[in-house]
Amino acid sequence: IKEISSYKNVLDVHFIQGWSLDDSSSYLTLHVKVPSELQMKDVDILREQIEECLKNNHVVYSTIQFEGRNCS
């Protein structure tokens, strides 16, 4: 999560829930707050970066919810 929090346009990472069904793979859901003016193409780039980071940490499935306003 520290690595994801350091990415450009990531204002906050919260509501993190993770679980594992075996010793080799994990599943994760998280919310990522971004600037409300961020364009969709930039959100897509950020999503790809986050998914790659998670994959490198053995997360085989993730749900990433992006928020551009004050949400929790």
Side-chain angles (χ1 to χ4, degrees):
I1 300 306
K2 286 183 182 182
E3 182 177 344
I4 294 169
S5 295
S6 71
Y7 290 166
K8 181 180 177 184
N9 293 315
V10 172
L11 303 177
D12 185 44
V13 179
H14 59 276
F15 196 73
I16 303 160
Q17 296 180 321
W19 63 98
S20 179
L21 299 177
D22 57 42
D23 291 336
S24 63
S25 55
S26 299
Y27 304 79
L28 189 70
T29 64
L30 63 145
H31 292 192
V32 178
K33 186 172 181 182
V34 297
S36 59
E37 67 276 1
L38 196 63
Q39 294 185 8
M40 199 64 200
K41 65 180 177 124
D42 295 319
V43 173
D44 287 340
I45 292 168
L46 181 56
R47 179 188 44 79
E48 291 171 358
Q49 290 175 322
I50 293 170
E51 287 174 344
E52 184 65 25
C53 174
L54 295 175
K55 181 180 174 184
N56 290 339
N57 287 283
H58 309 289
V59 175
V60 296
Y61 178 82
S62 61
T63 301
I64 305 166
Q65 179 174 321
F66 289 93
E67 302 170 343
R69 291 184 235 141
N70 288 333
C71 299
S72 55

